[in-house]
Amino acid sequence: MEQFIFMKMVFRSILAVMVIVNFFLISSIVAMGGNQIAVAAETHSTSISVRLERHYVDGEISEEYITEPIETIEQLMGQYHGWIFVSQNGDEMILKKDVPDLSPLTKANGFFSISNDGQLNLYDGSAEEQPIIQSFFRLDTKKLESGLHDQLRSGIRIGTLDDYREVLSICLPYRQEEM
């Protein structure tokens, strides 16, 4: 029972801190964006362009552009719960969200492979002249098991976040120390 009361007090304390932090965050956003909204009102603009940036685990960033009516920053941010305010420049606002998953590009066509100099890369398609999505670290190919080396040369298909993490964890012990 005492443990429950203690946990309830801790939860209430954390909740109180979050409310205070959100208050100051919203106040900062209003302070930063207040002049921009005033400028938009003077030009009779009733909307603002919003750039939504999604940052994926594999390093990909997708952008979506939308137009939203201007009422207040608080209402706009309320519509985008979980998004982080990045900046506002004129009639454009940038919001960011970290997505704890692979990008649609990697899920559709991602392959881990190794370059000729031992660099572990994630490619958009098999490594044959395809664009690199993300580079990781150089592998010590002399210590690399031949089966793994062959798999990496031909490319290892990545379709899920678990696949991505598994290949990285298998390759990590073969990471070449920087000189």
Side-chain angles (χ1 to χ4, degrees), residues 42-76:
E42 288 173 13
T43 61
H44 305 323
S45 176
T46 58
S47 62
I48 188 167
S49 297
V50 180
R51 183 170 77 197
L52 301 173
E53 293 182 351
R54 289 175 182 86
H55 294 245
Y56 295 93
V57 172
D58 56 19
E60 281 291 297
I61 299 172
S62 71
E63 295 179 347
E64 178 182 354
Y65 293 87
I66 57 173
T67 302
E68 291 286 354
I70 293 178
E71 293 190 24
T72 66
I73 293 290
E74 292 87 359
Q75 286 177 335
L76 184 64

Side-chain angles (χ1 to χ4, degrees), residues 11-102:
F11 178 75
R12 284 184 178 166
S13 298
I14 291 172
L15 187 60
V17 168
M18 289 175 61
V19 167
I20 292 169
V21 167
N22 279 335
F23 173 77
F24 285 112
L25 179 62
I26 290 171
S27 297
S28 297
I29 291 170
V30 169
M32 290 188 303
N35 293 338
Q36 301 300 335
I37 290 177
V39 169
E42 288 173 13
T43 61
H44 305 323
S45 176
T46 58
S47 62
I48 188 167
S49 297
V50 180
R51 183 170 77 197
L52 301 173
E53 293 182 351
R54 289 175 182 86
H55 294 245
Y56 295 93
V57 172
D58 56 19
E60 281 291 297
I61 299 172
S62 71
E63 295 179 347
E64 178 182 354
Y65 293 87
I66 57 173
T67 302
E68 291 286 354
I70 293 178
E71 293 190 24
T72 66
I73 293 290
E74 292 87 359
Q75 286 177 335
L76 184 64
M77 290 305 294
Q79 288 178 269
Y80 294 97
H81 180 72
W83 290 81
I84 299 168
F85 175 84
V86 176
S87 67
Q88 183 178 354
N89 186 8
D91 286 346
E92 182 184 55
M93 178 182 285
I94 301 171
L95 302 177
K96 170 187 162 186
K97 183 180 231 178
D98 291 324
V99 180
D101 199 1
L102 297 177

Side-chain angles (χ1 to χ4, degrees), residues 134-152:
Q134 187 177 20
S135 290
F136 296 91
F137 43 81
R138 197 167 312 284
L139 296 173
D140 186 343
T141 55
K142 293 175 186 160
K143 293 182 180 176
L144 200 59
E145 297 171 10
S146 63
L148 180 58
H149 191 265
D150 292 342
Q151 282 183 311
L152 285 169

Side-chain angles (χ1 to χ4, degrees), residues 1-12:
M1 184 68 175
E2 289 178 23
Q3 195 173 24
F4 175 76
I5 293 171
F6 176 74
M7 292 301 292
K8 192 174 177 182
M9 288 174 35
V10 168
F11 178 75
R12 284 184 178 166

